[in-house]
Amino acid sequence: MVIPKYRGRGIGKRAAMECFDKHAGRWEVTPSIGSRSAREFWKHVIDQYTGENNTPTDGTFCFSRRDGHDTQT
């Protein structure tokens, strides 16, 4: 979570993408339940990271590292 006064500067997005890049494999990200802003943030970040190649299921985004080592489901 990014401290409110630092939100909107791309810090959270950069941190998430660096983490995805550093750790190969399949990812599952579940935004805070009931938080529309958290869901919108993660949808934006994950759509950008995967080229919109992800499918949220029951509120969880499932995807693989973008270099193609893993297959998307």
Side-chain angles (χ1 to χ4, degrees):
M1 183 170 176
V2 177
I3 296 171
K5 78 177 198 175
Y6 295 107
R7 290 182 186 164
R9 298 181 185 186
I11 295 167
K13 180 176 124 180
R14 281 193 309 270
M17 290 195 176
E18 284 183 30
C19 192
F20 300 152
D21 282 341
K22 288 183 181 183
H23 301 283
R26 298 196 33 73
W27 280 87
E28 292 183 7
V29 175
T30 305
S32 299
I33 296 171
S35 174
R36 175 182 276 178
S37 61
R39 185 187 182 293
E40 289 173 1
F41 167 81
W42 285 110
K43 179 172 178 14
H44 173 76
V45 169
I46 294 167
D47 279 352
Q48 187 172 3
Y49 186 80
T50 65
E52 297 186 22
N53 187 21
N54 67 84
T55 305
T57 304
D58 296 326
T60 298
F61 294 92
C62 300
F63 61 99
S64 297
R65 202 167 89 176
R66 68 174 157 196
D67 61 11
H69 285 106
D70 294 22
T71 304
Q72 188 75 27
T73 59

